[in-house]
Amino acid sequence: MEKLDGTDHSILRVLQRNGRISNAELADRVGLSPSACSRRLDILEKSGVISGYYAQVSHKALDYKMMVIVHISLSGQFAKTLSEFEAAVKLCPNVLVCYLMSGEYDYILRVACKDLEDYERVHRDWLSALPHVVKINSSFALREIIDRPNVGI
């Protein structure tokens, strides 16, 4: 996709606040006809600028009250080692985010758990069983200050 213009940015700002808005309402808010808005939206979706639509569900409402930041070191950073770890970590349902890092640790994960006992289970059954893991360092979030689903536009 070519560079985003002001209208594209307006569409994205509105959708970040309300992904369920009708095309007619979106078009009205950004100053386009519904057909022009629909065409632009289609381009933004097909080009990957909009990667999906979802409901942001409260973890606490589902009884996941504990967030754990987990730093993981592997035995090496060979392509096979990384790909085996990444394939396995994707299977753990409690892992919300996983980043390959530079620096002291190879990966940082954000893990949702119901309580300390649940984290012990995740640590024992999932994290410790991940391939090539040599060190796990866990930090427990005391309070969430901000969790933005999107970057500001």
Side-chain angles (χ1 to χ4, degrees):
M1 178 170 187
E2 298 295 318
K3 189 173 178 163
L4 301 177
D5 65 14
T7 302
D8 294 325
H9 283 274
S10 294
I11 290 170
L12 295 173
R13 271 192 298 276
V14 171
L15 287 174
Q16 282 185 338
R17 282 186 240 110
N18 181 3
R20 295 181 66 169
I21 192 170
S22 71
N23 183 63
E25 177 68 19
L26 177 60
D28 185 56
R29 288 198 189 176
V30 300
L32 293 174
S33 70
S35 60
C37 185
S38 182
R39 281 192 301 275
R40 282 202 182 231
L41 196 53
D42 190 50
I43 291 168
L44 291 168
E45 291 169 353
K46 286 181 178 170
S47 68
V49 173
I50 296 175
S51 59
Y53 299 88
Y54 65 95
Q56 187 172 347
V57 179
S58 165
H59 300 294
K60 287 183 181 179
L62 298 176
D63 205 28
Y64 287 89
K65 298 176 182 134
M66 179 179 281
M67 281 297 158
V68 186
I69 306 303
V70 180
H71 298 81
I72 293 184
S73 294
L74 303 182
S75 58
Q77 284 205 348
F78 303 105
K80 184 175 190 271
T81 302
L82 298 177
S83 65
E84 288 175 359
F85 173 85
E86 290 171 11
V89 78
K90 288 176 183 177
L91 299 175
C92 181
N94 293 77
V95 174
L96 303 176
V97 177
C98 177
Y99 294 107
L100 173 63
M101 302 298 295
S102 65
E104 183 178 354
Y105 293 96
D106 297 309
Y107 289 91
I108 293 181
L109 285 60
R110 185 164 45 114
V111 179
C113 297
K114 293 180 184 252
D115 51 31
L116 195 54
E117 186 176 290
D118 189 36
Y119 180 67
E120 180 183 7
R121 176 195 59 79
V122 171
H123 188 282
R124 179 189 62 241
D125 297 346
W126 287 96
L127 302 179
S128 296
L130 291 169
H132 312 292
V133 170
V134 294
K135 183 177 180 183
I136 299 173
N137 182 317
S138 305
S139 299
F140 299 90
L142 301 176
R143 179 169 37 113
E144 182 178 284
I145 308 304
I146 192 165
D147 182 17
R148 287 188 180 107
N150 294 298
V151 67
I153 299 175

